[in-house]
Amino acid sequence: MKTKVLNLLLILIFCFSCTAQDENDNGNKIVQRITYSTGLNNAFTDLVYFKDQFFLVYRESDKHVFGRDGVIKLLNSVDGKNWKLIKDFAVSGVDLRDPKFAVNNDKLMLYIHGSTYEDKTLVKFADFRANFSDNWSKLENVTLDNKIKTTAKFAGNEAWPWRVTWQNGKAYTLGYNGVDIFRLYNSEDGLFFKSDSKVYSNVALPTEATIKVSPTGDFYALIRRNYASALFQKYDKEKNEFVTFSELPFTNFGGPNFVFLNDKKVLFSGSFGYVLVGIYDLETKQYKIISSFGGGDCGYPGIVIKDNFLWLSYYASYETKGGSSIYIAKINLEGILAE
């Protein structure tokens, strides 16, 4: 009961904060709406800056789930203001979802998940990758070793590799299946992933998770749990597992994402009634919310920090009849980073 009350108070605070900031923009925060299609569910974004241009990606369908199979839209921009559609990705009979960029040194990749349904029942997981180097011309299959016993009754990959992170030429992802798998996978080529020897579980089974590497080379993860608070974890080399060092009081924190500002502070984002942006201090284990956006069905932010500005992609339904739209926010971090 206490958790529900706290969550409600936080939503009300963030709601007021979002409205006030949108109405009293002093030049430190600019929001641009990218899509305007009534009745379409445009959602699940990601954002990257690579080779002097921004890339924005999102899913388009008529429903959040169990509607028309999702199509992935890829756009680019040199200034962050003028966007051009450069590629559609579609796979017959597969609902493409949650596209995520990954950078390996001078290589940019796009990972896309696919779900197949029969009568609103999940029957198969599939995953794909496209490469910037071949002008995004094709999708390659991404597979898991499927060595884990699961009670989930669907074919294909045993888990959903939600976001891929590269470090020293090796790819890592925390995959989940929403039933009984939440596990670290790794890959030498970013196409075939092997599971490790540990199953990471908590009181509430984790789902979406982002792994990032700190300036000191340590692995951190920000993890969503559907019925419990979000987790910050750090990889413990001796225990060979991610260990929780902090919880954030955001239940069902959708699309968790973060970047390191330095070796002591992290900028994080995700959805909790609104799209929240906060700063987390790894030393004090304290956080503060610096901004909030959108409303309704919303979230799944992409993060780019460039020239002391935060560029944030996200989706929100609060002003789109019968659907949701894609947005880009630009926040001046100069004063925030100086604190």
Side-chain angles (χ1 to χ4, degrees):
M1 184 67 181
K2 289 182 179 178
T3 301
K4 291 183 178 179
V5 172
L6 175 60
N7 288 349
L8 178 60
L9 288 173
L10 287 169
I11 289 175
L12 293 173
I13 292 170
F14 298 145
C15 175
F16 175 79
S17 173
C18 177
T19 303
Q21 290 169 355
D22 286 343
E23 292 179 353
N24 298 288
D25 178 25
N26 60 6
N28 290 324
K29 171 180 171 181
I30 300 171
V31 177
Q32 178 185 2
R33 186 175 175 182
I34 305 299
T35 64
Y36 286 84
S37 301
T38 299
L40 286 180
N41 185 267
N42 293 317
F44 311 129
T45 80
D46 202 16
L47 186 70
V48 70
Y49 188 79
F50 186 80
K51 292 192 180 300
D52 301 321
Q53 59 186 312
F54 290 95
F55 289 98
L56 167 68
V57 68
Y58 63 91
R59 170 187 181 265
E60 180 180 280
S61 180
D62 60 333
K63 294 182 180 180
H64 188 104
V65 67
F66 302 136
R68 189 173 69 215
D69 286 339
V71 174
I72 302 304
K73 302 283 187 177
L74 178 64
L75 292 72
N76 73 337
S77 172
V78 295
D79 59 8
K81 297 179 181 179
N82 300 294
W83 294 89
K84 177 183 178 182
L85 177 66
I86 59 174
K87 184 73 177 181
D88 286 334
F89 295 100
V91 176
S92 179
V94 178
D95 181 20
L96 297 182
R97 310 179 65 84
D98 264 2
K100 297 286 186 294
F101 293 112
V103 177
N104 178 22
N105 295 322
D106 61 346
K107 297 178 182 179
L108 174 64
M109 293 150 279
L110 175 64
Y111 285 88
I112 302 170
H113 176 72
S115 292
T116 300
Y117 313 98
E118 290 181 1
D119 298 325
K120 295 186 178 181
T121 298
L122 175 67
V123 296
K124 185 177 181 179
F125 271 171
D127 295 275
F128 308 92
R129 189 182 80 178
N131 300 303
F132 171 77
S133 58
D134 62 10
N135 295 317
W136 311 106
S137 62
K138 63 180 180 179
L139 289 176
E140 301 174 283
N141 291 319
V142 174
T143 57
L144 307 183
D145 59 6
N146 288 343
K147 291 185 176 181
I148 309 306
K149 292 182 180 180
T150 172
T151 60
K153 297 180 179 179
F154 53 79
N157 286 334
E158 67 190 12
W160 180 336
W162 195 73
R163 185 189 293 273
V164 174
T165 295
W166 288 81
Q167 173 71 352
N168 296 328
K170 194 171 183 178
Y172 300 87
T173 183
L174 283 166
Y176 76 98
N177 69 355
V179 180
D180 53 10
I181 291 179
F182 182 77
R183 179 177 291 267
L184 181 67
Y185 294 83
N186 65 82
S187 173
E188 300 292 339
D189 62 2
L191 292 173
F192 176 70
F193 284 82
K194 298 181 293 183
S195 55
D196 71 356
S197 60
K198 297 282 186 177
V199 176
Y200 306 99
S201 61
N202 295 276
V203 175
L205 186 69
T207 57
E208 302 161 351
T210 289
I211 299 174
K212 291 294 177 71
V213 183
S214 74
T216 57
D218 293 311
F219 282 72
Y220 287 79
L222 179 57
I223 301 166
R224 169 184 178 174
R225 294 189 294 173
N226 288 342
Y227 306 105
S229 56
L231 300 178
F232 256 130
Q233 295 190 336
K234 181 180 179 180
Y235 187 73
D236 187 314
K237 295 179 181 178
E238 293 184 359
K239 294 182 179 180
N240 187 31
E241 64 180 341
F242 280 91
V243 176
T244 299
F245 64 87
S246 183
E247 295 189 22
L248 296 179
F250 312 130
T251 300
N252 199 19
F253 196 48
N257 197 4
F258 69 103
V259 295
F260 282 89
L261 298 174
N262 50 48
D263 60 352
K264 298 179 181 179
K265 291 186 178 181
V266 165
L267 184 144
F268 70 90
S269 184
S271 59
F272 181 70
Y274 290 81
V275 183
L276 309 181
V277 179
I279 304 291
Y280 184 89
D281 191 308
L282 295 170
E283 290 188 332
T284 65
K285 297 184 180 180
Q286 300 295 315
Y287 75 91
K288 64 178 179 179
I289 301 301
I290 62 172
S291 197
S292 57
F293 300 90
D297 179 17
C298 63
Y300 292 74
I303 299 173
V304 169
I305 295 180
K306 182 178 179 295
D307 301 328
N308 275 339
F309 282 93
L310 165 64
W311 296 80
L312 189 82
S313 66
Y314 64 94
Y315 82 92
S317 65
Y318 73 109
E319 59 179 355
T320 304
K321 185 177 180 179
S324 55
S325 295
I326 305 299
Y327 298 82
I328 296 287
K330 182 182 180 183
I331 305 174
N332 188 345
L333 295 177
E334 186 173 354
I336 297 170
L337 297 180
E339 294 179 0

